[in-house]
Amino acid sequence: MATFIIYAIRWAVTLTLLYSLYRLLLRRETFHRLNRAVLLVILVVI
């Protein structure tokens, strides 16, 4: 059970960091395909 909790915490931290980078760098971009691709890549990386 402890292994799962550690995994969940790492996943949450990684997702938060990657999404924060997305928000900082691509929030105002009007290239919706690029934004969508970046979000999908973030999900695949995790």
Side-chain angles (χ1 to χ4, degrees):
M1 187 69 179
T3 306
F4 176 73
I5 293 172
I6 292 171
Y7 172 77
I9 290 171
R10 285 184 181 173
W11 182 81
V13 168
T14 304
L15 183 61
T16 302
L17 288 174
L18 290 174
Y19 185 70
S20 297
L21 285 174
Y22 165 78
R23 291 286 294 176
L24 286 173
L25 299 175
L26 297 173
R27 173 176 45 180
R28 296 190 177 127
E29 286 292 326
T30 58
F31 301 115
H32 299 294
R33 287 185 182 178
L34 175 65
N35 289 349
R36 188 178 305 123
V38 170
L39 287 173
L40 288 174
V41 167
I42 287 172
L43 288 176
V44 170
V45 167
I46 297 175

